[in-house]
C-alpha cells in the first residue's frame, strides 16, 4: 500500500510506502482498506477483519 499526498491541483506532492520501510504494515494488517489523516498529521488505517492502526507523528504539524 502506498499513500500519495496530492495538491489541490491533483499533482503529487509526496508518497509513503506503507508495506515496507519503517512502517511495515504487513503482516500487522492483513487487508488494509481505508485511510485518513488528522490536522496533526497522524495517519489512521482500517482493515479487515476489524483492524485499526494509528501512525502518529513524533512532532505534530
Amino acid at each position: 500500500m502506498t499513500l500519495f499526498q496530492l495538491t489541490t491541483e491533483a499533482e503529487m506532492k509526496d508518497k509513503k510506502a506503507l508495506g515496507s520501510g519503517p512502517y511495515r504494515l504487513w503482516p500487522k494488517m492483513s487487508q488494509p482498506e481505508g485511510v485518513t489523516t488528522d490536522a496533526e498529521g497522524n495517519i489512521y488505517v482500517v482493515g479487515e477483519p476489524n483492524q485499526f492502526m494509528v501512525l502518529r507523528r513524533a512532532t505534530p504539524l
Side-chain angles (χ1 to χ4, degrees), residues 20-39:
S20 60
Y23 301 106
R24 296 181 199 232
L25 284 183
W26 294 266
K28 296 174 187 148
M29 294 194 82
S30 57
Q31 188 177 338
E33 294 186 353
V35 64
T36 191
T37 60
D38 64 17

Side-chain angles (χ1 to χ4, degrees), residues 3 13 15 24 26 31 37 42 44-45 47 55-56 58:
L3 287 180
K13 185 175 178 182
K15 67 180 179 178
R24 296 181 199 232
W26 294 266
Q31 188 177 338
T37 60
N42 300 311
Y44 302 88
V45 184
L55 303 172
R56 296 197 187 277

Side-chain angles (χ1 to χ4, degrees), residues 8-19:
T8 54
E9 291 81 28
E11 296 172 357
M12 188 170 67
K13 185 175 178 182
D14 194 14
K15 67 180 179 178
K16 299 280 186 236
L18 298 180

